[in-house]
Amino acid sequence: MSFGASYIYAKGKVDWDKAVTQFNGQVNINDEKASGHGYGFGFYFRPDPKLDVSIAYRSAIDMKAKNGTATFKFPTQTPYSLLKLNAAGQDGFSATLPLVEEYTIGLTYKITPKWLVSADFNYHGWERYSKLTLDFDNAPIGNQTDPTILVNPKNFRNTKTFRLGTQYAFSNIIYGRLGAYYDESPYSDDHFIPETPSYDTFVVTGGLGFKLKQFGVDLAGGYAMPKARDVNNANIGLYGQSKATAFYFGLGLSYNPFY
């Protein structure tokens, strides 16, 4: 059995435009230095020469924007004094974006020396992202008892991802791969949000791997088939149908100096 652990330091950027309807304007939310901390650990063991099992956990991370800048734009500068903005139409803000925890279990079975089949299951704790709160220094554009606090309901729910794949070694150099997975959306149609569109999605994948002594080359591609959504988000006034399709391709290069 093997055990591994890691420390996670995450950095990110906040750049979000939002309407300020009561003054016929908009605000840009920006912070270049959002950050958060987390950890992860995992176990790997082989109960049978043909079976590999791995279990992993990645903690939740709170990405904190502590000293952000909110830049307001209006047809005139009249609202500046009402909102207690500076001469450039700016105010400060802080916010926390919760990133989710993830549980993973994976199995790989060697049917023959050349043929492997793998499956894994992921559980994502999206439920902690129930809302996004913006706390402005001065601007009273919120929707709480404290008028400088703006709460945006998200109402995410925990999700699951199921994956199945296979690899066949055509030779000691060339490997073929096929797979598929199903990924659940973390919210229902009445909580659909355009800044992070998500769908219940079925994806088929394929690829080729090449090993040339110390060097490895991996080619992969996938076709995603998201389920169409009948959007009905009364909170932000968004209605209609949302559809999507996607192709993606990947290239991986590796080098093993100890070959």
Side-chain angles (χ1 to χ4, degrees), residues 191-205:
H191 293 109
F192 185 92
I193 44 179
E195 67 264 26
T196 52
S198 179
Y199 310 82
D200 291 336
T201 304
F202 181 74
V203 183
V204 292
T205 61

Side-chain angles (χ1 to χ4, degrees), residues 108-118 164-179 205-211 217-219:
T108 297
Y109 187 74
K110 185 181 292 186
I111 298 175
T112 71
K114 292 185 176 183
W115 185 18
L116 305 177
V117 175
S118 297
L164 181 66
T166 186
Q167 172 181 282
Y168 188 81
F170 296 107
S171 68
N172 292 330
I173 297 175
I174 302 175
Y175 299 81
R177 299 167 184 139
L178 289 173
T205 61
L208 289 172
F210 303 90
K211 288 187 177 180
V217 178
D218 293 290
L219 304 174

Side-chain angles (χ1 to χ4, degrees), residues 229-249:
R229 309 202 66 152
D230 293 318
V231 180
N232 183 30
N233 191 333
N235 182 61
I236 60 174
L238 183 64
Y239 304 93
Q241 189 176 72
S242 180
K243 297 180 179 180
T245 56
F247 293 93
Y248 65 85
F249 301 94

Side-chain angles (χ1 to χ4, degrees), residues 211-230:
K211 288 187 177 180
L212 304 171
K213 294 185 177 180
Q214 296 101 324
F215 296 93
V217 178
D218 293 290
L219 304 174
Y223 175 53
M225 296 168 277
K227 182 181 178 181
R229 309 202 66 152
D230 293 318

Side-chain angles (χ1 to χ4, degrees), residues 114-166:
K114 292 185 176 183
W115 185 18
L116 305 177
V117 175
S118 297
D120 69 47
F121 169 78
N122 299 97
Y123 186 79
H124 310 274
W126 280 109
E127 190 175 57
R128 69 192 306 266
Y129 191 28
S130 60
K131 61 185 178 181
L132 177 62
T133 301
L134 301 176
D135 188 352
F136 295 95
D137 291 349
N138 301 298
I141 62 167
N143 53 11
Q144 304 298 301
T145 303
D146 180 346
T148 64
I149 296 178
L150 178 64
V151 176
N152 300 275
K154 300 300 181 181
N155 297 307
F156 279 31
R157 59 193 179 191
N158 296 338
T159 64
K160 300 177 290 293
T161 303
F162 306 88
R163 295 184 177 88
L164 181 66
T166 186

